[in-house]
PDB file of all heavy atoms in Angstrom:
ATOM      1  N   THR N 251      68.646  86.103  49.402  1.00 96.00           N
ATOM      2  CA  THR N 251      69.587  86.787  50.302  1.00 96.00           C
ATOM      3  C   THR N 251      69.727  86.085  51.652  1.00 96.00           C
ATOM      4  O   THR N 251      70.228  86.677  52.610  1.00 96.00           O
ATOM      5  CB  THR N 251      69.120  88.238  50.546  1.00 96.00           C
ATOM      6  OG1 THR N 251      67.784  88.221  51.092  1.00 96.00           O
ATOM      7  CG2 THR N 251      69.100  89.034  49.251  1.00 96.00           C
ATOM      8  N   ALA N 252      69.322  84.814  51.734  1.00 96.00           N
ATOM      9  CA  ALA N 252      69.315  84.078  53.005  1.00 96.00           C
ATOM     10  C   ALA N 252      70.712  83.574  53.342  1.00 96.00           C
ATOM     11  O   ALA N 252      71.081  82.427  53.056  1.00 96.00           O
ATOM     12  CB  ALA N 252      68.330  82.914  52.940  1.00 96.00           C
ATOM     13  N   LEU N 253      71.501  84.411  53.984  1.00 94.00           N
ATOM     14  CA  LEU N 253      72.873  84.056  54.343  1.00 94.00           C
ATOM     15  C   LEU N 253      72.891  82.928  55.373  1.00 94.00           C
ATOM     16  O   LEU N 253      72.139  82.974  56.354  1.00 94.00           O
ATOM     17  CB  LEU N 253      73.595  85.280  54.911  1.00 94.00           C
ATOM     18  CG  LEU N 253      73.817  86.451  53.953  1.00 94.00           C
ATOM     19  CD1 LEU N 253      74.291  87.671  54.730  1.00 94.00           C
ATOM     20  CD2 LEU N 253      74.808  86.083  52.870  1.00 94.00           C
ATOM     21  N   PRO N 254      73.736  81.932  55.174  1.00 94.00           N
ATOM     22  CA  PRO N 254      73.813  80.829  56.147  1.00 94.00           C
ATOM     23  C   PRO N 254      74.140  81.347  57.544  1.00 94.00           C
ATOM     24  O   PRO N 254      75.015  82.186  57.709  1.00 94.00           O
ATOM     25  CB  PRO N 254      74.955  79.960  55.598  1.00 94.00           C
ATOM     26  CG  PRO N 254      75.025  80.286  54.152  1.00 94.00           C
ATOM     27  CD  PRO N 254      74.663  81.743  54.040  1.00 94.00           C
ATOM     28  N   LEU N 255      73.420  80.857  58.537  1.00 91.00           N
ATOM     29  CA  LEU N 255      73.559  81.214  59.948  1.00 91.00           C
ATOM     30  C   LEU N 255      73.111  82.647  60.231  1.00 91.00           C
ATOM     31  O   LEU N 255      72.280  82.876  61.112  1.00 91.00           O
ATOM     32  CB  LEU N 255      75.005  81.019  60.427  1.00 91.00           C
ATOM     33  CG  LEU N 255      75.505  79.563  60.430  1.00 91.00           C
ATOM     34  CD1 LEU N 255      76.958  79.513  60.891  1.00 91.00           C
ATOM     35  CD2 LEU N 255      74.648  78.697  61.340  1.00 91.00           C
ATOM     36  N   LEU N 256      73.638  83.641  59.504  1.00 90.00           N
ATOM     37  CA  LEU N 256      73.306  85.029  59.787  1.00 90.00           C
ATOM     38  C   LEU N 256      71.829  85.332  59.573  1.00 90.00           C
ATOM     39  O   LEU N 256      71.251  86.158  60.280  1.00 90.00           O
ATOM     40  CB  LEU N 256      74.151  85.971  58.917  1.00 90.00           C
ATOM     41  CG  LEU N 256      75.650  86.006  59.207  1.00 90.00           C
ATOM     42  CD1 LEU N 256      76.355  86.928  58.221  1.00 90.00           C
ATOM     43  CD2 LEU N 256      75.919  86.458  60.633  1.00 90.00           C
ATOM     44  N   SER N 257      71.216  84.672  58.583  1.00 92.00           N
ATOM     45  CA  SER N 257      69.807  84.929  58.283  1.00 92.00           C
ATOM     46  C   SER N 257      68.872  83.870  58.855  1.00 92.00           C
ATOM     47  O   SER N 257      67.678  83.873  58.564  1.00 92.00           O
ATOM     48  CB  SER N 257      69.599  85.022  56.760  1.00 92.00           C
ATOM     49  OG  SER N 257      70.294  86.114  56.222  1.00 92.00           O
ATOM     50  N   GLY N 258      69.405  82.973  59.635  1.00 92.00           N
ATOM     51  CA  GLY N 258      68.570  81.934  60.222  1.00 92.00           C
ATOM     52  C   GLY N 258      68.325  80.776  59.268  1.00 92.00           C
ATOM     53  O   GLY N 258      69.176  80.449  58.434  1.00 92.00           O
ATOM     54  N   ARG N 259      67.177  80.160  59.380  1.00 94.00           N
ATOM     55  CA  ARG N 259      66.861  78.977  58.593  1.00 94.00           C
ATOM     56  C   ARG N 259      66.635  79.327  57.124  1.00 94.00           C
ATOM     57  O   ARG N 259      66.343  80.487  56.792  1.00 94.00           O
ATOM     58  CB  ARG N 259      65.606  78.307  59.162  1.00 94.00           C
ATOM     59  CG  ARG N 259      65.803  77.760  60.566  1.00 94.00           C
ATOM     60  CD  ARG N 259      64.535  77.118  61.081  1.00 94.00           C
ATOM     61  NE  ARG N 259      64.728  76.557  62.420  1.00 94.00           N
ATOM     62  CZ  ARG N 259      63.776  75.949  63.113  1.00 94.00           C
ATOM     63  NH1 ARG N 259      62.557  75.828  62.593  1.00 94.00           N
ATOM     64  NH2 ARG N 259      64.033  75.479  64.310  1.00 94.00           N
ATOM     65  N   PRO N 260      66.740  78.340  56.242  1.00 97.00           N
ATOM     66  CA  PRO N 260      66.463  78.595  54.817  1.00 97.00           C
ATOM     67  C   PRO N 260      65.012  79.010  54.626  1.00 97.00           C
ATOM     68  O   PRO N 260      64.148  78.725  55.462  1.00 97.00           O
ATOM     69  CB  PRO N 260      66.761  77.249  54.152  1.00 97.00           C
ATOM     70  CG  PRO N 260      66.599  76.234  55.243  1.00 97.00           C
ATOM     71  CD  PRO N 260      67.075  76.914  56.490  1.00 97.00           C
ATOM     72  N   ILE N 261      64.761  79.664  53.520  1.00 98.00           N
ATOM     73  CA  ILE N 261      63.414  80.139  53.206  1.00 98.00           C
ATOM     74  C   ILE N 261      62.670  79.079  52.402  1.00 98.00           C
ATOM     75  O   ILE N 261      63.199  78.542  51.423  1.00 98.00           O
ATOM     76  CB  ILE N 261      63.476  81.458  52.408  1.00 98.00           C
ATOM     77  CG1 ILE N 261      64.230  82.524  53.203  1.00 98.00           C
ATOM     78  CG2 ILE N 261      62.078  81.934  52.053  1.00 98.00           C
ATOM     79  CD1 ILE N 261      63.617  82.867  54.546  1.00 98.00           C
ATOM     80  N   GLU N 262      61.455  78.783  52.824  1.00 98.00           N
ATOM     81  CA  GLU N 262      60.649  77.796  52.116  1.00 98.00           C
ATOM     82  C   GLU N 262      59.798  78.476  51.051  1.00 98.00           C
ATOM     83  O   GLU N 262      59.125  79.470  51.319  1.00 98.00           O
ATOM     84  CB  GLU N 262      59.753  77.043  53.103  1.00 98.00           C
ATOM     85  CG  GLU N 262      60.543  76.197  54.095  1.00 98.00           C
ATOM     86  CD  GLU N 262      59.661  75.279  54.914  1.00 98.00           C
ATOM     87  OE1 GLU N 262      58.474  75.105  54.546  1.00 98.00           O
ATOM     88  OE2 GLU N 262      60.154  74.722  55.906  1.00 98.00           O
ATOM     89  N   LEU N 263      59.848  77.928  49.852  1.00 98.00           N
ATOM     90  CA  LEU N 263      59.101  78.473  48.727  1.00 98.00           C
ATOM     91  C   LEU N 263      58.814  77.348  47.747  1.00 98.00           C
ATOM     92  O   LEU N 263      59.731  76.625  47.348  1.00 98.00           O
ATOM     93  CB  LEU N 263      59.918  79.583  48.041  1.00 98.00           C
ATOM     94  CG  LEU N 263      59.271  80.313  46.863  1.00 98.00           C
ATOM     95  CD1 LEU N 263      57.990  81.029  47.290  1.00 98.00           C
ATOM     96  CD2 LEU N 263      60.255  81.327  46.269  1.00 98.00           C
ATOM     97  N   GLY N 264      57.554  77.169  47.400  1.00 96.00           N
ATOM     98  CA  GLY N 264      57.182  76.133  46.454  1.00 96.00           C
ATOM     99  C   GLY N 264      57.498  74.732  46.922  1.00 96.00           C
ATOM    100  O   GLY N 264      57.799  73.852  46.109  1.00 96.00           O
ATOM    101  N   GLY N 265      57.456  74.518  48.237  1.00 97.00           N
ATOM    102  CA  GLY N 265      57.732  73.199  48.778  1.00 97.00           C
ATOM    103  C   GLY N 265      59.209  72.849  48.846  1.00 97.00           C
ATOM    104  O   GLY N 265      59.560  71.698  49.143  1.00 97.00           O
ATOM    105  N   ARG N 266      60.081  73.817  48.601  1.00 98.00           N
ATOM    106  CA  ARG N 266      61.531  73.599  48.673  1.00 98.00           C
ATOM    107  C   ARG N 266      62.141  74.637  49.609  1.00 98.00           C
ATOM    108  O   ARG N 266      61.500  75.623  49.969  1.00 98.00           O
ATOM    109  CB  ARG N 266      62.145  73.701  47.266  1.00 98.00           C
ATOM    110  CG  ARG N 266      61.590  72.669  46.300  1.00 98.00           C
ATOM    111  CD  ARG N 266      61.853  73.021  44.852  1.00 98.00           C
ATOM    112  NE  ARG N 266      63.259  72.913  44.502  1.00 98.00           N
ATOM    113  CZ  ARG N 266      63.736  73.195  43.278  1.00 98.00           C
ATOM    114  NH1 ARG N 266      62.903  73.607  42.322  1.00 98.00           N
ATOM    115  NH2 ARG N 266      65.019  73.059  43.014  1.00 98.00           N
ATOM    116  N   ARG N 267      63.381  74.391  50.016  1.00 98.00           N
ATOM    117  CA  ARG N 267      64.073  75.304  50.916  1.00 98.00           C
ATOM    118  C   ARG N 267      65.286  75.887  50.214  1.00 98.00           C
ATOM    119  O   ARG N 267      66.016  75.176  49.513  1.00 98.00           O
ATOM    120  CB  ARG N 267      64.498  74.576  52.195  1.00 98.00           C
ATOM    121  CG  ARG N 267      63.306  74.095  53.026  1.00 98.00           C
ATOM    122  CD  ARG N 267      63.728  73.420  54.311  1.00 98.00           C
ATOM    123  NE  ARG N 267      64.474  72.191  54.079  1.00 98.00           N
ATOM    124  CZ  ARG N 267      64.930  71.395  55.032  1.00 98.00           C
ATOM    125  NH1 ARG N 267      64.718  71.727  56.311  1.00 98.00           N
ATOM    126  NH2 ARG N 267      65.572  70.292  54.750  1.00 98.00           N
ATOM    127  N   PHE N 268      65.511  77.201  50.444  1.00 98.00           N
ATOM    128  CA  PHE N 268      66.558  77.896  49.710  1.00 98.00           C
ATOM    129  C   PHE N 268      67.430  78.752  50.629  1.00 98.00           C
ATOM    130  O   PHE N 268      66.950  79.332  51.602  1.00 98.00           O
ATOM    131  CB  PHE N 268      65.941  78.803  48.642  1.00 98.00           C
ATOM    132  CG  PHE N 268      65.181  78.063  47.578  1.00 98.00           C
ATOM    133  CD1 PHE N 268      63.801  77.964  47.652  1.00 98.00           C
ATOM    134  CD2 PHE N 268      65.843  77.464  46.513  1.00 98.00           C
ATOM    135  CE1 PHE N 268      63.082  77.288  46.673  1.00 98.00           C
ATOM    136  CE2 PHE N 268      65.140  76.781  45.541  1.00 98.00           C
ATOM    137  CZ  PHE N 268      63.765  76.691  45.607  1.00 98.00           C
ATOM    138  N   PHE N 269      68.712  78.807  50.255  1.00 98.00           N
ATOM    139  CA  PHE N 269      69.673  79.710  50.873  1.00 98.00           C
ATOM    140  C   PHE N 269      70.135  80.734  49.834  1.00 98.00           C
ATOM    141  O   PHE N 269      69.764  80.668  48.655  1.00 98.00           O
ATOM    142  CB  PHE N 269      70.881  78.935  51.398  1.00 98.00           C
ATOM    143  CG  PHE N 269      70.686  78.302  52.746  1.00 98.00           C
ATOM    144  CD1 PHE N 269      70.511  76.932  52.868  1.00 98.00           C
ATOM    145  CD2 PHE N 269      70.684  79.070  53.900  1.00 98.00           C
ATOM    146  CE1 PHE N 269      70.340  76.333  54.106  1.00 98.00           C
ATOM    147  CE2 PHE N 269      70.514  78.492  55.150  1.00 98.00           C
ATOM    148  CZ  PHE N 269      70.348  77.112  55.250  1.00 98.00           C
ATOM    149  N   ASP N 270      70.974  81.631  50.285  1.00 97.00           N
ATOM    150  CA  ASP N 270      71.541  82.709  49.474  1.00 97.00           C
ATOM    151  C   ASP N 270      72.051  82.221  48.116  1.00 97.00           C
ATOM    152  O   ASP N 270      72.731  81.201  48.020  1.00 97.00           O
ATOM    153  CB  ASP N 270      72.700  83.337  50.260  1.00 97.00           C
ATOM    154  CG  ASP N 270      73.252  84.569  49.598  1.00 97.00           C
ATOM    155  OD1 ASP N 270      74.121  84.416  48.721  1.00 97.00           O
ATOM    156  OD2 ASP N 270      72.835  85.676  49.960  1.00 97.00           O
ATOM    157  N   ALA N 271      71.737  82.982  47.076  1.00 98.00           N
ATOM    158  CA  ALA N 271      72.146  82.619  45.720  1.00 98.00           C
ATOM    159  C   ALA N 271      73.661  82.505  45.585  1.00 98.00           C
ATOM    160  O   ALA N 271      74.165  81.706  44.790  1.00 98.00           O
ATOM    161  CB  ALA N 271      71.618  83.654  44.724  1.00 98.00           C
ATOM    162  N   GLY N 272      74.391  83.315  46.366  1.00 96.00           N
ATOM    163  CA  GLY N 272      75.841  83.350  46.221  1.00 96.00           C
ATOM    164  C   GLY N 272      76.540  82.050  46.546  1.00 96.00           C
ATOM    165  O   GLY N 272      77.692  81.862  46.148  1.00 96.00           O
ATOM    166  N   ILE N 273      75.878  81.149  47.231  1.00 96.00           N
ATOM    167  CA  ILE N 273      76.504  79.852  47.508  1.00 96.00           C
ATOM    168  C   ILE N 273      76.756  79.102  46.217  1.00 96.00           C
ATOM    169  O   ILE N 273      77.807  78.488  46.028  1.00 96.00           O
ATOM    170  CB  ILE N 273      75.612  79.006  48.450  1.00 96.00           C
ATOM    171  CG1 ILE N 273      75.491  79.684  49.814  1.00 96.00           C
ATOM    172  CG2 ILE N 273      76.173  77.591  48.603  1.00 96.00           C
ATOM    173  CD1 ILE N 273      74.501  78.998  50.742  1.00 96.00           C
ATOM    174  N   ALA N 274      75.808  79.172  45.287  1.00 97.00           N
ATOM    175  CA  ALA N 274      75.918  78.401  44.043  1.00 97.00           C
ATOM    176  C   ALA N 274      76.223  79.254  42.821  1.00 97.00           C
ATOM    177  O   ALA N 274      76.881  78.789  41.884  1.00 97.00           O
ATOM    178  CB  ALA N 274      74.626  77.612  43.798  1.00 97.00           C
ATOM    179  N   GLU N 275      75.760  80.517  42.800  1.00 97.00           N
ATOM    180  CA  GLU N 275      75.947  81.343  41.591  1.00 97.00           C
ATOM    181  C   GLU N 275      75.943  82.815  41.975  1.00 97.00           C
ATOM    182  O   GLU N 275      74.914  83.482  41.916  1.00 97.00           O
ATOM    183  CB  GLU N 275      74.857  81.043  40.556  1.00 97.00           C
ATOM    184  CG  GLU N 275      75.112  81.689  39.206  1.00 97.00           C
ATOM    185  CD  GLU N 275      74.102  81.294  38.141  1.00 97.00           C
ATOM    186  OE1 GLU N 275      73.161  80.528  38.443  1.00 97.00           O
ATOM    187  OE2 GLU N 275      74.246  81.759  36.988  1.00 97.00           O
ATOM    188  N   SER N 276      77.116  83.328  42.329  1.00 96.00           N
ATOM    189  CA  SER N 276      77.219  84.729  42.740  1.00 96.00           C
ATOM    190  C   SER N 276      77.044  85.683  41.577  1.00 96.00           C
ATOM    191  O   SER N 276      76.573  86.809  41.746  1.00 96.00           O
ATOM    192  CB  SER N 276      78.585  84.985  43.398  1.00 96.00           C
ATOM    193  OG  SER N 276      78.708  84.284  44.603  1.00 96.00           O
ATOM    194  N   ILE N 277      77.476  85.251  40.396  1.00 97.00           N
ATOM    195  CA  ILE N 277      77.356  86.072  39.187  1.00 97.00           C
ATOM    196  C   ILE N 277      76.340  85.370  38.292  1.00 97.00           C
ATOM    197  O   ILE N 277      76.662  84.352  37.663  1.00 97.00           O
ATOM    198  CB  ILE N 277      78.709  86.204  38.464  1.00 97.00           C
ATOM    199  CG1 ILE N 277      79.818  86.567  39.456  1.00 97.00           C
ATOM    200  CG2 ILE N 277      78.627  87.255  37.364  1.00 97.00           C
ATOM    201  CD1 ILE N 277      81.215  86.476  38.873  1.00 97.00           C
ATOM    202  N   PRO N 278      75.124  85.841  38.207  1.00 98.00           N
ATOM    203  CA  PRO N 278      74.038  85.045  37.621  1.00 98.00           C
ATOM    204  C   PRO N 278      73.979  85.020  36.098  1.00 98.00           C
ATOM    205  O   PRO N 278      72.896  84.990  35.515  1.00 98.00           O
ATOM    206  CB  PRO N 278      72.792  85.709  38.216  1.00 98.00           C
ATOM    207  CG  PRO N 278      73.179  87.133  38.395  1.00 98.00           C
ATOM    208  CD  PRO N 278      74.629  87.098  38.800  1.00 98.00           C
ATOM    209  N   TYR N 279      75.144  84.977  35.473  1.00 98.00           N
ATOM    210  CA  TYR N 279      75.146  84.966  34.003  1.00 98.00           C
ATOM    211  C   TYR N 279      74.974  83.561  33.440  1.00 98.00           C
ATOM    212  O   TYR N 279      74.466  83.396  32.317  1.00 98.00           O
ATOM    213  CB  TYR N 279      76.434  85.591  33.463  1.00 98.00           C
ATOM    214  CG  TYR N 279      77.646  84.692  33.546  1.00 98.00           C
ATOM    215  CD1 TYR N 279      78.081  83.984  32.424  1.00 98.00           C
ATOM    216  CD2 TYR N 279      78.357  84.544  34.733  1.00 98.00           C
ATOM    217  CE1 TYR N 279      79.191  83.150  32.498  1.00 98.00           C
ATOM    218  CE2 TYR N 279      79.452  83.724  34.809  1.00 98.00           C
ATOM    219  CZ  TYR N 279      79.867  83.029  33.687  1.00 98.00           C
ATOM    220  OH  TYR N 279      80.954  82.186  33.761  1.00 98.00           O
ATOM    221  N   ARG N 280      75.376  82.535  34.190  1.00 97.00           N
ATOM    222  CA  ARG N 280      75.276  81.171  33.660  1.00 97.00           C
ATOM    223  C   ARG N 280      73.805  80.761  33.496  1.00 97.00           C
ATOM    224  O   ARG N 280      73.442  80.121  32.497  1.00 97.00           O
ATOM    225  CB  ARG N 280      76.008  80.186  34.569  1.00 97.00           C
ATOM    226  CG  ARG N 280      77.523  80.370  34.567  1.00 97.00           C
ATOM    227  CD  ARG N 280      78.225  79.259  35.331  1.00 97.00           C
ATOM    228  NE  ARG N 280      79.664  79.458  35.387  1.00 97.00           N
ATOM    229  CZ  ARG N 280      80.522  79.068  34.446  1.00 97.00           C
ATOM    230  NH1 ARG N 280      80.063  78.455  33.368  1.00 97.00           N
ATOM    231  NH2 ARG N 280      81.820  79.287  34.575  1.00 97.00           N
ATOM    232  N   THR N 281      72.979  81.116  34.451  1.00 98.00           N
ATOM    233  CA  THR N 281      71.556  80.813  34.318  1.00 98.00           C
ATOM    234  C   THR N 281      70.946  81.578  33.157  1.00 98.00           C
ATOM    235  O   THR N 281      70.134  81.037  32.397  1.00 98.00           O
ATOM    236  CB  THR N 281      70.814  81.145  35.625  1.00 98.00           C
ATOM    237  OG1 THR N 281      71.275  80.273  36.664  1.00 98.00           O
ATOM    238  CG2 THR N 281      69.318  80.966  35.469  1.00 98.00           C
ATOM    239  N   ALA N 282      71.342  82.842  33.000  1.00 98.00           N
ATOM    240  CA  ALA N 282      70.835  83.636  31.871  1.00 98.00           C
ATOM    241  C   ALA N 282      71.207  82.981  30.541  1.00 98.00           C
ATOM    242  O   ALA N 282      70.373  82.883  29.630  1.00 98.00           O
ATOM    243  CB  ALA N 282      71.385  85.053  31.938  1.00 98.00           C
ATOM    244  N   ALA N 283      72.444  82.516  30.433  1.00 98.00           N
ATOM    245  CA  ALA N 283      72.883  81.861  29.196  1.00 98.00           C
ATOM    246  C   ALA N 283      72.134  80.558  28.971  1.00 98.00           C
ATOM    247  O   ALA N 283      71.699  80.252  27.851  1.00 98.00           O
ATOM    248  CB  ALA N 283      74.387  81.608  29.254  1.00 98.00           C
ATOM    249  N   ALA N 284      71.946  79.780  30.039  1.00 98.00           N
ATOM    250  CA  ALA N 284      71.257  78.496  29.913  1.00 98.00           C
ATOM    251  C   ALA N 284      69.806  78.680  29.491  1.00 98.00           C
ATOM    252  O   ALA N 284      69.215  77.786  28.867  1.00 98.00           O
ATOM    253  CB  ALA N 284      71.327  77.735  31.234  1.00 98.00           C
ATOM    254  N   GLN N 285      69.227  79.841  29.813  1.00 98.00           N
ATOM    255  CA  GLN N 285      67.829  80.098  29.473  1.00 98.00           C
ATOM    256  C   GLN N 285      67.662  80.830  28.145  1.00 98.00           C
ATOM    257  O   GLN N 285      66.569  81.307  27.832  1.00 98.00           O
ATOM    258  CB  GLN N 285      67.155  80.862  30.606  1.00 98.00           C
ATOM    259  CG  GLN N 285      67.034  80.035  31.882  1.00 98.00           C
ATOM    260  CD  GLN N 285      66.269  80.737  32.987  1.00 98.00           C
ATOM    261  OE1 GLN N 285      65.876  81.892  32.873  1.00 98.00           O
ATOM    262  NE2 GLN N 285      66.059  80.040  34.094  1.00 98.00           N
ATOM    263  N   GLY N 286      68.729  80.900  27.365  1.00 98.00           N
ATOM    264  CA  GLY N 286      68.603  81.381  25.996  1.00 98.00           C
ATOM    265  C   GLY N 286      69.025  82.803  25.716  1.00 98.00           C
ATOM    266  O   GLY N 286      68.788  83.310  24.608  1.00 98.00           O
TER     267      GLY N 286
END
């Protein structure tokens, strides 16, 4: 849920940095399909 600018800096997790899911996949069905 890390909205660009509004939520501040990206969140660090597992040595990587992340922003809001909606930037890349607002409707998370493609990942579900890719995972079987």
Side-chain angles (χ1 to χ4, degrees):
T251 57
L253 295 169
L255 295 179
L256 293 177
S257 296
R259 295 180 179 179
I261 302 300
E262 295 190 13
L263 182 61
R266 299 162 70 181
R267 295 182 296 182
F268 296 99
F269 278 106
D270 187 275
I273 296 173
E275 189 175 2
S276 294
I277 312 170
Y279 77 100
R280 292 188 183 274
T281 295
Q285 293 185 355

